[in-house]
């Protein structure tokens, strides 16, 4: 079998350069695989590189989204024992929330997170908070995919 590269010099791969003090913002794009109703869809998002402190500040601004992933605290043993000893007292009513309202809050939190994390996208629609809100409403795994 003949070698098709004879006489040709291979094109060298670009070498990434570390810039400790970049002249301007460092941006990059990633293609994310987002699960959808008819299979995985690809979404190109544009990002602004953030250093570790900027990432922590971003996480702090979106604390509600991060806290949703934390498990609920377990009651301590003393509180459980006290509750058992007062079995004759009626349990206080636990307020329930409208599930749709909870989902609306999640959509808002996720849209705000995605909108601030990315700086643009490869869709024909403009990159606006309203359009990102539509995206996270229709593709619920968007925020967790961006987070990863």
């Amino acid at each position: 079998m003949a070698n098709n590269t004879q006489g040709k010099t291979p094109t060298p791969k670009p070498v990434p350069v570390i810039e400790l003090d970049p002249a301007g913002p460092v941006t990059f794009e990633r293609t994310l695989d987002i699960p959808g109703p008819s299979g995985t869809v690809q979404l190109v998002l544009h990002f602004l590189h953030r250093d570790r402190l900027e990432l922590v500040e971003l996480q702090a601004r979106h604390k509600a989204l991060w806290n949703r992933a934390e498990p609920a605290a377990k009651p301590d043993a003393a509180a459980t024992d006290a509750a058992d000893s007062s079995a004759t007292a009626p349990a206080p009513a636990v307020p329930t929330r409208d599930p749709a309202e909870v989902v609306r809050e999640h959509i808002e939190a996720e849209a705000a997170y995605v909108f601030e994390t990315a700086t643009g996208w490869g869709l024909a629609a403009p990159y606006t908070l309203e359009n990102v809100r539509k995206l996270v409403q229709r593709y619920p795994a968007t925020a967790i995919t961006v987070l990863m």
Side-chain angles (χ1 to χ4, degrees):
M1 179 176 262
N3 185 349
N4 291 337
T5 60
Q6 285 181 333
K8 295 182 181 179
T9 305
T11 306
K13 293 182 180 178
V15 177
V17 176
I18 295 176
E19 297 269 348
L20 297 178
D21 294 311
V26 178
T27 59
F28 60 97
E29 73 177 40
R30 291 288 181 262
T31 301
L32 304 176
D33 292 328
I34 300 178
S38 45
T40 301
V41 296
Q42 292 192 324
L43 174 67
V44 175
L45 284 177
H46 308 271
F47 295 94
L48 171 67
H49 172 76
R50 292 173 171 88
D51 65 27
R52 291 174 68 182
L53 291 174
E54 292 168 328
L55 285 173
V56 168
E57 291 166 354
L58 175 69
Q59 290 174 351
R61 284 192 297 277
H62 298 281
K63 189 173 182 161
L65 180 63
W66 297 92
N67 287 342
R68 275 200 359 235
E70 294 177 6
K74 294 183 180 180
D76 64 13
T80 304
D81 291 342
D84 289 343
S85 67
S86 62
T88 58
V94 177
T96 57
R97 294 187 60 205
D98 176 19
E101 185 58 34
V102 173
V103 170
R104 280 187 203 93
E105 288 175 7
H106 289 193
I107 290 169
E108 288 302 316
E110 292 171 9
Y113 172 75
V114 171
F115 187 70
E116 187 174 358
T117 302
T119 60
W121 59 17
L123 299 178
Y127 188 72
T128 64
L129 181 56
E130 178 60 29
N131 285 336
V132 172
R133 191 177 294 116
K134 290 176 185 178
L135 177 71
V136 300
Q137 182 174 346
R138 288 179 177 88
Y139 294 89
T142 300
I144 195 70
T145 303
V146 171
L147 180 65
M148 299 309 229

